[in-house]
Amino acid sequence: MAQSRGPLKAAYHTLGCKLNFSETSTIGRMLADRGIIRASDGEAPDIVVVNTCSVTEMADKKGRHLIRRLAKQWPDATIVVTGCYAQLKPEQVASLPGVAVVLGSDEKLRIAQYLDRWLETRAPQLAVTPPADMTAFMPSCERGDRTRYFLKVQDGCDYFCTYCTIPYARGRSRSGRIDDIVGIARKAAGEGAREMVITGVNIGDFGRNTGESFFDLLRALDDVEGIARYRISSIEPNLLTEEIIEWIARDARAFMPHFHIPLQAGSDRVLRLMNRRYDTALFASRINTVRELIPHAFIGVDVIAGARGETPDEWERGFRFIESLPITRLHCFPYSERPGTAALHLADPVDQEEKHRRVAMLMKLSEEKLRRFVADNLGRRASVLWEAPRPGARMMHGFTDNYIRVDAPFDSALVNTLSEIILSDSNISDQQ
C-alpha cells in the first residue's frame, strides 16, 4: 500500500448492529495486515472508516451527522464510508464532506484494494453491487475491544418484510459452510476466546445456499473445545424450532439460556401487513416453551411501535398480548418510513407523537418485566464471565449465563475467566 511517511493510521466508527461491529473489527485487522495501524484516542488519523446503518431514517441521520463531524474534526483524513447507508444511498453519502471512498455491503471486506486505488490516484472511489448480484459470503470472527467474540455465520435476507430495507442493503440470504465456520471458531478458541455470539442478518436461515441447517451448525459449534459459552443473536420465531430449544435446555454443552426473538407487533393483522412469517400463537408457543424448559432464561423481544395499519384497536390488542408474555426485556423502536418499502402503500399511518407515546408505554412495560426477572434471580448461583474494565477503573463487570450484568472490585486475574457467585442486590448492576 502506497504511503509517503511512517505507518498510516486509521480510526474506526461503527453504527448499528452486532454484525456491523464484527465486520468493522475484521476491516481493522485486514488494514493492520497491510501496515495501517489503529490511531490512538485523540491522535489524528490518516484514514477514517465509518461503517453505517440504515435500519431507520434516524440511523441515516446519525450517519450523516457522524461523517460531517469527523470531516470537521479531521479535515486532512481520508473518509471511507461503508455499510447499509452507503449501499442504499451511495450518491448521497459521496456528496458528504470529506468522503473519498464509498463502498457497498459486498465491497465492505475488500476495502484495502479501494484504499490502494485512492492513495495511488486520489480519484474518488464508489463501488456498490446490486443486491441481486450479492452471492459471496465473507466470514468474520472478531473480538474488537470486548471479551466476547462475534462469529458471523450468515448474511442477507430473503424475507422482504414490508417495512424493511435489509434485503436491498445486504442482498439475499447466504452463509458459509459448517466445516469452515467451525475452523474459524477453533482458531478463536486457540486465541483465548471463551464466549462467542453467533451473528448474521437472519441466522436461522443458515444453510440456504449450502444445504446445511442452523441446528447442524449449533451442534457442530458445541463440540469446539475451549469455547465455554455461545449466545445466539436475534433469531426469527419461526426459525427457532422447538427442537433447538429442547436441545439447548437438555443436551447442549455451551449454549447459554439467552434468547433474542423479534416479535415486531402483537397483532396478527399487523403481522400480516408486515409480511412476517408467524402469528401471535406461534410466537407465544415459542416463548412458553423456552420459559417451561429453561425457567431462568433471558428472553429479549423486538417490537416496532406505530407501524402503518396499527390502528388504536390493533395497538391495544397487541399491547395486551405483549403484556401477557413471560419475557425479560423489550427492545422498542418507533416505526420509520423507509423509501422503496412496500409498507409505504399501506393505509392507516400513525403520527409521530402517537408512535412515541406507544414506545414510552412499551419501555415502561419492559422496565417492569426486567425488574421482575432480576428479582426472580436473586439468590441463584450463577456463572459469570468477567470482562476487562476501562483503564483506571476500580470496578469490573461480567454477565451471568442468562445475561444479568454484575459488578465486582477489579481483579486482573478474573478477566476472561468464569467464576460462580450468588446473585444479590449488592452485586447486580443497573441493567438499563
Side-chain angles (χ1 to χ4, degrees):
M1 181 165 288
Q3 57 190 71
S4 59
R5 47 185 174 76
L8 293 173
K9 297 175 183 177
Y12 300 90
H13 298 267
T14 307
L15 300 170
C17 62
K18 292 175 180 177
L19 182 56
N20 265 8
F21 280 88
S22 173
E23 290 173 338
T24 299
S25 293
T26 297
I27 289 170
R29 176 176 51 78
M30 293 168 67
L31 295 189
D33 289 344
R34 311 271 295 211
I36 300 175
I37 64 176
R38 186 180 291 267
S40 302
D41 289 344
E43 187 176 21
D46 302 290
I47 299 163
V48 178
V49 178
V50 183
N51 193 0
T52 60
C53 174
S54 190
V55 69
T56 64
E57 175 58 31
M58 181 56 68
D60 287 358
K61 288 180 180 178
K62 286 181 178 178
R64 290 192 294 273
H65 176 77
L66 175 61
I67 293 163
R68 289 190 178 107
R69 178 173 65 78
L70 292 169
K72 185 176 181 180
Q73 183 178 6
W74 310 117
D76 297 327
T78 295
I79 297 180
V80 182
V81 183
T82 187
C84 292
Y85 181 33
Q87 173 72 32
L88 293 171
K89 299 178 181 177
E91 290 81 11
Q92 184 178 107
V93 172
S95 70
L96 294 171
V99 174
V101 181
V102 179
L103 303 177
S105 299
D106 220 33
E107 290 73 23
K108 180 182 292 187
L109 298 185
R110 294 197 292 272
I111 185 173
Q113 69 187 64
Y114 293 100
L115 266 175
D116 274 341
R117 292 176 190 171
W118 159 254
L119 291 168
E120 290 167 5
T121 67
R122 296 292 160 167
Q125 302 292 309
L126 191 156
V128 174
T129 300
D133 296 333
M134 294 182 193
T135 58
F137 175 76
M138 291 173 282
S140 65
C141 180
E142 299 295 335
R143 178 179 62 186
D145 298 326
R146 304 168 186 242
T147 296
R148 65 186 64 88
Y149 280 62
F150 293 85
L151 175 65
K152 175 184 173 183
V153 303
Q154 184 273 342
D155 204 345
C157 186
D158 291 350
Y159 274 22
F160 290 91
C161 297
T162 57
Y163 56 84
C164 184
T165 59
I166 284 179
Y168 311 104
R170 286 273 186 175
R172 304 303 291 267
S173 182
R174 57 206 185 275
S175 52
R177 298 198 66 85
I178 289 176
D179 286 349
D180 296 332
I181 291 170
V182 167
I184 293 170
R186 286 200 181 107
K187 181 180 178 183
E191 296 172 356
R194 303 303 310 281
E195 180 171 312
M196 190 167 282
V197 181
I198 301 171
T199 66
V201 174
N202 186 0
I203 60 173
D205 202 34
F206 174 89
R208 176 171 291 273
N209 59 314
T210 66
E212 299 170 313
S213 77
F214 186 57
F215 191 20
D216 291 337
L217 173 68
L218 300 186
R219 288 182 291 194
L221 288 172
D222 202 47
D223 289 336
V224 175
E225 294 183 6
I227 305 297
R229 290 180 162 187
Y230 290 102
R231 298 188 190 274
I232 300 172
S233 64
S234 181
I235 181 170
E236 295 288 304
N238 53 303
L239 299 176
L240 178 63
T241 64
E242 291 190 354
E243 184 181 33
I244 290 175
I245 298 169
E246 290 171 1
W247 176 77
I248 291 173
R250 295 170 178 156
D251 299 319
R253 173 188 64 86
F255 278 82
M256 295 298 97
H258 179 192
F259 299 86
H260 191 115
I261 312 170
L263 170 62
Q264 310 306 18
S267 153
D268 285 335
R269 177 176 174 272
V270 178
L271 289 174
R272 287 193 297 272
L273 292 173
M274 289 179 164
N275 197 32
R276 301 295 285 168
R277 301 196 178 193
Y278 53 86
D279 57 17
T280 53
L282 184 144
F283 191 90
S285 174
R286 295 294 188 268
I287 298 297
N288 290 328
T289 298
V290 171
R291 190 58 72 208
E292 177 185 350
L293 297 179
I294 318 173
H296 65 287
F298 184 106
I299 307 174
V301 172
D302 290 341
V303 181
I304 297 171
R308 283 181 175 250
E310 192 177 71
T311 63
D313 286 345
E314 298 297 344
W315 158 249
E316 290 296 332
R317 184 177 294 109
F319 185 82
R320 287 195 298 272
F321 172 73
I322 296 167
E323 194 175 33
S324 74
L325 295 171
I327 59 179
T328 307
R329 190 175 197 171
L330 296 167
H331 299 262
C332 315
F333 312 90
Y335 166 70
S336 178
E337 305 271 49
R338 307 306 291 134
T341 57
L344 296 179
H345 303 293
L346 298 176
D348 299 314
V350 180
D351 67 53
Q352 288 297 114
E353 184 178 354
E354 177 61 16
K355 288 179 193 176
H356 290 292
R357 186 187 74 85
R358 294 177 187 181
V359 167
M361 289 180 65
L362 290 167
M363 292 299 294
K364 182 179 179 182
L365 176 62
S366 177
E367 290 169 4
E368 293 169 358
K369 287 185 175 293
L370 181 60
R371 188 163 48 246
R372 193 176 309 131
F373 176 76
V374 171
D376 289 344
N377 276 267
L378 290 175
R380 188 174 76 85
R381 181 178 294 276
S383 176
V384 177
L385 179 63
W386 298 100
E387 301 193 2
R390 295 186 180 277
R394 292 187 297 173
M395 298 293 289
M396 63 193 304
H397 74 271
F399 288 90
T400 65
D401 55 351
N402 62 343
Y403 211 62
I404 294 175
R405 178 173 166 144
V406 296
D407 290 330
F410 174 60
D411 180 349
S412 60
L414 288 178
V415 174
N416 203 33
T417 68
L418 290 159
S419 63
E420 286 198 345
I421 65 169
I422 302 295
L423 293 172
S424 68
D425 288 328
S426 63
N427 58 31
I428 293 178
S429 307
D430 182 1
Q431 304 295 304
Q432 300 304 318

